[in-house]
mmCIF file of all heavy atoms in Angstrom:
data_model
loop_
_atom_site.group_PDB
_atom_site.id
_atom_site.type_symbol
_atom_site.label_atom_id
_atom_site.label_comp_id
_atom_site.label_asym_id
_atom_site.label_seq_id
_atom_site.Cartn_x
_atom_site.Cartn_y
_atom_site.Cartn_z
ATOM 1 N N SER A 28 -117.770 -103.592 28.137
ATOM 2 C CA SER A 28 -117.742 -102.170 28.116
ATOM 3 C C SER A 28 -118.603 -101.720 26.913
ATOM 4 O O SER A 28 -118.873 -102.504 26.026
ATOM 5 C CB SER A 28 -116.279 -101.718 27.870
ATOM 6 O OG SER A 28 -115.773 -102.106 26.593
ATOM 7 N N GLU A 29 -118.835 -100.475 26.928
ATOM 8 C CA GLU A 29 -119.683 -99.886 25.901
ATOM 9 C C GLU A 29 -118.942 -100.053 24.478
ATOM 10 O O GLU A 29 -119.491 -100.329 23.475
ATOM 11 C CB GLU A 29 -119.838 -98.362 26.032
ATOM 12 C CG GLU A 29 -120.567 -97.619 24.955
ATOM 13 C CD GLU A 29 -120.726 -96.054 25.257
ATOM 14 O OE1 GLU A 29 -120.108 -95.629 26.210
ATOM 15 O OE2 GLU A 29 -121.468 -95.427 24.385
ATOM 16 N N GLU A 30 -117.535 -99.911 24.485
ATOM 17 C CA GLU A 30 -116.751 -100.128 23.348
ATOM 18 C C GLU A 30 -116.870 -101.616 22.689
ATOM 19 O O GLU A 30 -116.778 -101.686 21.585
ATOM 20 C CB GLU A 30 -115.279 -99.706 23.524
ATOM 21 C CG GLU A 30 -115.035 -98.328 23.867
ATOM 22 C CD GLU A 30 -115.424 -97.895 25.123
ATOM 23 O OE1 GLU A 30 -115.542 -98.761 26.175
ATOM 24 O OE2 GLU A 30 -115.812 -96.624 25.446
ATOM 25 N N GLU A 31 -117.044 -102.487 23.606
ATOM 26 C CA GLU A 31 -117.089 -103.899 23.254
ATOM 27 C C GLU A 31 -118.458 -104.187 22.672
ATOM 28 O O GLU A 31 -118.628 -105.209 22.006
ATOM 29 C CB GLU A 31 -116.853 -104.799 24.370
ATOM 30 C CG GLU A 31 -115.372 -104.772 24.877
ATOM 31 C CD GLU A 31 -115.227 -105.601 26.256
ATOM 32 O OE1 GLU A 31 -115.829 -105.246 27.193
ATOM 33 O OE2 GLU A 31 -114.355 -106.536 26.172
ATOM 34 N N LEU A 32 -119.507 -103.403 22.958
ATOM 35 C CA LEU A 32 -120.845 -103.723 22.562
ATOM 36 C C LEU A 32 -121.219 -102.894 21.311
ATOM 37 O O LEU A 32 -121.721 -103.447 20.337
ATOM 38 C CB LEU A 32 -121.786 -103.369 23.678
ATOM 39 C CG LEU A 32 -121.673 -104.275 24.900
ATOM 40 C CD1 LEU A 32 -122.423 -103.717 26.053
ATOM 41 C CD2 LEU A 32 -122.249 -105.652 24.536
ATOM 42 N N VAL A 33 -121.059 -101.570 21.378
ATOM 43 C CA VAL A 33 -121.463 -100.657 20.291
ATOM 44 C C VAL A 33 -120.772 -100.916 18.954
ATOM 45 O O VAL A 33 -119.504 -101.121 18.958
ATOM 46 C CB VAL A 33 -121.305 -99.192 20.706
ATOM 47 C CG1 VAL A 33 -121.743 -98.272 19.534
ATOM 48 C CG2 VAL A 33 -122.303 -98.791 21.895
ATOM 49 N N GLY A 34 -121.568 -101.113 17.836
ATOM 50 C CA GLY A 34 -120.924 -101.352 16.533
ATOM 51 C C GLY A 34 -120.988 -102.892 16.274
ATOM 52 O O GLY A 34 -120.694 -103.234 15.146
ATOM 53 N N HIS A 35 -121.308 -103.689 17.274
ATOM 54 C CA HIS A 35 -121.321 -105.138 17.057
ATOM 55 C C HIS A 35 -122.797 -105.484 16.857
ATOM 56 O O HIS A 35 -123.713 -104.880 17.414
ATOM 57 C CB HIS A 35 -120.679 -105.873 18.199
ATOM 58 C CG HIS A 35 -119.273 -105.448 18.255
ATOM 59 N ND1 HIS A 35 -118.278 -106.240 17.614
ATOM 60 C CD2 HIS A 35 -118.509 -104.706 18.999
ATOM 61 C CE1 HIS A 35 -117.090 -105.698 17.768
ATOM 62 N NE2 HIS A 35 -117.175 -104.720 18.670
ATOM 63 N N SER A 36 -122.979 -106.757 16.285
ATOM 64 C CA SER A 36 -124.331 -107.298 16.178
ATOM 65 C C SER A 36 -124.874 -107.711 17.624
ATOM 66 O O SER A 36 -124.079 -108.293 18.404
ATOM 67 C CB SER A 36 -124.358 -108.529 15.236
ATOM 68 O OG SER A 36 -125.664 -109.120 15.369
ATOM 69 N N SER A 37 -126.042 -107.323 17.973
ATOM 70 C CA SER A 37 -126.586 -107.717 19.190
ATOM 71 C C SER A 37 -126.749 -109.212 19.303
ATOM 72 O O SER A 37 -126.658 -109.733 20.439
ATOM 73 C CB SER A 37 -127.968 -107.047 19.454
ATOM 74 O OG SER A 37 -128.866 -107.415 18.340
ATOM 75 N N LEU A 38 -126.880 -109.870 18.137
ATOM 76 C CA LEU A 38 -127.076 -111.283 18.148
ATOM 77 C C LEU A 38 -125.707 -112.003 18.537
ATOM 78 O O LEU A 38 -125.788 -113.195 18.979
ATOM 79 C CB LEU A 38 -127.463 -111.768 16.705
ATOM 80 C CG LEU A 38 -128.831 -111.254 16.325
ATOM 81 C CD1 LEU A 38 -129.166 -111.652 14.825
ATOM 82 C CD2 LEU A 38 -129.933 -111.741 17.283
ATOM 83 N N ASP A 39 -124.581 -111.287 18.483
ATOM 84 C CA ASP A 39 -123.313 -111.939 19.002
ATOM 85 C C ASP A 39 -123.290 -112.111 20.438
ATOM 86 O O ASP A 39 -122.534 -113.024 21.003
ATOM 87 C CB ASP A 39 -122.108 -110.934 18.665
ATOM 88 C CG ASP A 39 -121.898 -110.769 17.141
ATOM 89 O OD1 ASP A 39 -122.346 -111.588 16.335
ATOM 90 O OD2 ASP A 39 -121.129 -109.838 16.777
ATOM 91 N N PHE A 40 -124.179 -111.521 21.246
ATOM 92 C CA PHE A 40 -124.227 -111.683 22.596
ATOM 93 C C PHE A 40 -125.422 -112.526 23.142
ATOM 94 O O PHE A 40 -125.633 -112.595 24.328
ATOM 95 C CB PHE A 40 -124.320 -110.225 23.302
ATOM 96 C CG PHE A 40 -123.102 -109.440 22.813
ATOM 97 C CD1 PHE A 40 -123.241 -108.527 21.738
ATOM 98 C CD2 PHE A 40 -121.864 -109.555 23.514
ATOM 99 C CE1 PHE A 40 -122.052 -107.770 21.358
ATOM 100 C CE2 PHE A 40 -120.757 -108.761 22.985
ATOM 101 C CZ PHE A 40 -120.946 -107.876 22.040
ATOM 102 N N VAL A 41 -126.120 -113.097 22.137
ATOM 103 C CA VAL A 41 -127.302 -114.012 22.459
ATOM 104 C C VAL A 41 -126.778 -115.403 22.514
ATOM 105 O O VAL A 41 -125.891 -115.757 21.723
ATOM 106 C CB VAL A 41 -128.428 -113.795 21.343
ATOM 107 C CG1 VAL A 41 -129.590 -114.765 21.597
ATOM 108 C CG2 VAL A 41 -128.919 -112.274 21.390
ATOM 109 N N HIS A 42 -127.353 -116.116 23.396
ATOM 110 C CA HIS A 42 -127.070 -117.606 23.542
ATOM 111 C C HIS A 42 -127.273 -118.287 22.120
ATOM 112 O O HIS A 42 -128.269 -117.947 21.535
ATOM 113 C CB HIS A 42 -127.897 -118.251 24.595
ATOM 114 C CG HIS A 42 -127.516 -119.611 24.941
ATOM 115 N ND1 HIS A 42 -127.830 -120.758 24.160
ATOM 116 C CD2 HIS A 42 -126.847 -120.076 26.001
ATOM 117 C CE1 HIS A 42 -127.248 -121.718 24.684
ATOM 118 N NE2 HIS A 42 -126.697 -121.453 25.839
ATOM 119 N N PRO A 43 -126.265 -119.111 21.693
ATOM 120 C CA PRO A 43 -126.347 -119.607 20.321
ATOM 121 C C PRO A 43 -127.727 -120.354 20.037
ATOM 122 O O PRO A 43 -128.219 -120.252 19.000
ATOM 123 C CB PRO A 43 -125.229 -120.648 20.286
ATOM 124 C CG PRO A 43 -124.291 -120.068 21.268
ATOM 125 C CD PRO A 43 -125.078 -119.432 22.402
ATOM 126 N N GLU A 44 -128.289 -120.953 21.007
ATOM 127 C CA GLU A 44 -129.544 -121.670 20.862
ATOM 128 C C GLU A 44 -130.736 -120.757 20.652
ATOM 129 O O GLU A 44 -131.765 -121.147 20.157
ATOM 130 C CB GLU A 44 -129.812 -122.638 21.965
ATOM 131 C CG GLU A 44 -128.799 -123.755 22.147
ATOM 132 C CD GLU A 44 -129.022 -124.601 23.353
ATOM 133 O OE1 GLU A 44 -130.032 -124.539 24.089
ATOM 134 O OE2 GLU A 44 -128.177 -125.447 23.665
ATOM 135 N N ASP A 45 -130.652 -119.440 21.035
ATOM 136 C CA ASP A 45 -131.645 -118.506 20.908
ATOM 137 C C ASP A 45 -131.539 -117.560 19.629
ATOM 138 O O ASP A 45 -132.468 -116.751 19.381
ATOM 139 C CB ASP A 45 -131.772 -117.655 22.156
ATOM 140 C CG ASP A 45 -132.134 -118.478 23.365
ATOM 141 O OD1 ASP A 45 -132.525 -119.683 23.144
ATOM 142 O OD2 ASP A 45 -132.039 -117.981 24.485
ATOM 143 N N VAL A 46 -130.338 -117.595 18.996
ATOM 144 C CA VAL A 46 -130.137 -116.649 17.974
ATOM 145 C C VAL A 46 -131.081 -116.691 16.809
ATOM 146 O O VAL A 46 -131.685 -115.737 16.361
ATOM 147 C CB VAL A 46 -128.664 -116.789 17.395
ATOM 148 C CG1 VAL A 46 -128.478 -115.994 16.104
ATOM 149 C CG2 VAL A 46 -127.667 -116.363 18.439
ATOM 150 N N ALA A 47 -131.415 -117.890 16.276
ATOM 151 C CA ALA A 47 -132.323 -118.079 15.152
ATOM 152 C C ALA A 47 -133.756 -117.541 15.422
ATOM 153 O O ALA A 47 -134.214 -116.794 14.624
ATOM 154 C CB ALA A 47 -132.343 -119.484 14.602
ATOM 155 N N GLU A 48 -134.169 -117.870 16.564
ATOM 156 C CA GLU A 48 -135.561 -117.503 16.982
ATOM 157 C C GLU A 48 -135.609 -115.949 17.169
ATOM 158 O O GLU A 48 -136.457 -115.299 16.638
ATOM 159 C CB GLU A 48 -135.993 -118.116 18.222
ATOM 160 C CG GLU A 48 -137.386 -117.843 18.648
ATOM 161 C CD GLU A 48 -137.821 -118.490 19.988
ATOM 162 O OE1 GLU A 48 -137.018 -119.315 20.469
ATOM 163 O OE2 GLU A 48 -138.850 -118.111 20.527
ATOM 164 N N LEU A 49 -134.657 -115.413 17.728
ATOM 165 C CA LEU A 49 -134.612 -113.907 18.023
ATOM 166 C C LEU A 49 -134.428 -113.190 16.664
ATOM 167 O O LEU A 49 -135.152 -112.033 16.483
ATOM 168 C CB LEU A 49 -133.494 -113.489 18.987
ATOM 169 C CG LEU A 49 -133.473 -112.160 19.571
ATOM 170 C CD1 LEU A 49 -134.758 -111.881 20.263
ATOM 171 C CD2 LEU A 49 -132.271 -111.884 20.437
ATOM 172 N N ALA A 50 -133.557 -113.726 15.783
ATOM 173 C CA ALA A 50 -133.476 -113.081 14.470
ATOM 174 C C ALA A 50 -134.708 -113.132 13.702
ATOM 175 O O ALA A 50 -135.102 -112.085 12.993
ATOM 176 C CB ALA A 50 -132.311 -113.674 13.677
ATOM 177 N N ALA A 51 -135.504 -114.152 13.824
ATOM 178 C CA ALA A 51 -136.785 -114.245 13.134
ATOM 179 C C ALA A 51 -137.776 -113.212 13.707
ATOM 180 O O ALA A 51 -138.499 -112.611 13.018
ATOM 181 C CB ALA A 51 -137.247 -115.699 13.163
ATOM 182 N N ILE A 52 -137.741 -113.097 15.055
ATOM 183 C CA ILE A 52 -138.709 -112.147 15.616
ATOM 184 C C ILE A 52 -138.197 -110.727 15.243
ATOM 185 O O ILE A 52 -139.190 -109.942 14.797
ATOM 186 C CB ILE A 52 -138.494 -112.207 17.170
ATOM 187 C CG1 ILE A 52 -139.124 -113.505 17.712
ATOM 188 C CG2 ILE A 52 -139.164 -110.968 17.893
ATOM 189 C CD1 ILE A 52 -138.923 -113.810 19.189
ATOM 190 N N PHE A 53 -137.008 -110.426 15.124
ATOM 191 C CA PHE A 53 -136.632 -109.086 14.653
ATOM 192 C C PHE A 53 -137.245 -108.858 13.224
ATOM 193 O O PHE A 53 -137.793 -107.825 13.017
ATOM 194 C CB PHE A 53 -135.123 -108.983 14.573
ATOM 195 C CG PHE A 53 -134.437 -108.679 15.851
ATOM 196 C CD1 PHE A 53 -133.080 -108.711 15.955
ATOM 197 C CD2 PHE A 53 -135.130 -108.430 17.063
ATOM 198 C CE1 PHE A 53 -132.467 -108.517 17.183
ATOM 199 C CE2 PHE A 53 -134.509 -108.230 18.242
ATOM 200 C CZ PHE A 53 -133.093 -108.256 18.272
ATOM 201 N N GLN A 54 -137.021 -109.821 12.330
ATOM 202 C CA GLN A 54 -137.438 -109.650 10.943
ATOM 203 C C GLN A 54 -138.964 -109.486 10.917
ATOM 204 O O GLN A 54 -139.501 -108.611 10.155
ATOM 205 C CB GLN A 54 -136.994 -110.716 10.038
ATOM 206 C CG GLN A 54 -135.472 -110.706 9.858
ATOM 207 C CD GLN A 54 -134.968 -109.353 9.416
ATOM 208 O OE1 GLN A 54 -135.441 -108.787 8.406
ATOM 209 N NE2 GLN A 54 -133.992 -108.892 9.957
ATOM 210 N N THR A 55 -139.670 -110.241 11.533
ATOM 211 C CA THR A 55 -141.162 -110.166 11.575
ATOM 212 C C THR A 55 -141.668 -108.853 12.162
ATOM 213 O O THR A 55 -142.509 -108.253 11.656
ATOM 214 C CB THR A 55 -141.721 -111.423 12.436
ATOM 215 O OG1 THR A 55 -141.325 -112.555 11.858
ATOM 216 C CG2 THR A 55 -143.275 -111.307 12.467
ATOM 217 N N ARG A 56 -141.126 -108.421 13.264
ATOM 218 C CA ARG A 56 -141.550 -107.297 13.947
ATOM 219 C C ARG A 56 -141.139 -105.983 13.149
ATOM 220 O O ARG A 56 -141.842 -104.998 13.172
ATOM 221 C CB ARG A 56 -141.028 -107.168 15.373
ATOM 222 C CG ARG A 56 -141.606 -108.196 16.219
ATOM 223 C CD ARG A 56 -143.112 -108.013 16.351
ATOM 224 N NE ARG A 56 -143.551 -109.234 17.017
ATOM 225 C CZ ARG A 56 -144.808 -109.358 17.463
ATOM 226 N NH1 ARG A 56 -145.773 -108.497 16.901
ATOM 227 N NH2 ARG A 56 -145.272 -110.415 18.127
ATOM 228 N N LEU A 57 -140.113 -106.046 12.415
ATOM 229 C CA LEU A 57 -139.721 -104.901 11.558
ATOM 230 C C LEU A 57 -140.793 -104.622 10.494
ATOM 231 O O LEU A 57 -141.109 -103.538 10.103
ATOM 232 C CB LEU A 57 -138.347 -105.164 10.884
ATOM 233 C CG LEU A 57 -137.200 -104.924 11.821
ATOM 234 C CD1 LEU A 57 -135.829 -105.343 11.059
ATOM 235 C CD2 LEU A 57 -137.081 -103.490 12.228
ATOM 236 N N ILE A 58 -141.394 -105.734 10.104
ATOM 237 C CA ILE A 58 -142.498 -105.541 9.022
ATOM 238 C C ILE A 58 -143.764 -105.199 9.689
ATOM 239 O O ILE A 58 -144.542 -104.393 9.167
ATOM 240 C CB ILE A 58 -142.592 -106.965 8.223
ATOM 241 C CG1 ILE A 58 -141.337 -107.232 7.540
ATOM 242 C CG2 ILE A 58 -143.840 -106.867 7.332
ATOM 243 C CD1 ILE A 58 -141.256 -108.625 6.878
ATOM 244 N N GLU A 59 -144.126 -105.746 10.790
ATOM 245 C CA GLU A 59 -145.405 -105.586 11.444
ATOM 246 C C GLU A 59 -145.528 -104.308 12.301
ATOM 247 O O GLU A 59 -146.460 -103.726 12.380
ATOM 248 C CB GLU A 59 -145.674 -106.771 12.425
ATOM 249 C CG GLU A 59 -145.928 -108.057 11.774
ATOM 250 C CD GLU A 59 -146.194 -109.168 12.766
ATOM 251 O OE1 GLU A 59 -146.210 -108.905 13.976
ATOM 252 O OE2 GLU A 59 -146.283 -110.304 12.312
#
């Protein structure tokens, strides 16, 4: 539900094997 998603980290819903790579992409793109 919207209540279960909003306010939580989007990374909480990412497959554990993809979290580190996705977090790195976020950080890189925020700068670029």
Side-chain angles (χ1 to χ4, degrees):
S28 69
E29 178 181 7
E30 293 77 24
E31 292 172 299
L32 295 166
V33 174
H35 296 276
S36 173
S37 57
L38 298 174
D39 292 346
F40 303 96
V41 174
H42 191 284
E44 294 175 10
D45 296 347
V46 169
E48 181 181 355
L49 192 57
I52 290 171
F53 283 174
Q54 292 307 311
T55 302
R56 294 300 176 179
L57 284 174
I58 295 167
E59 293 177 6

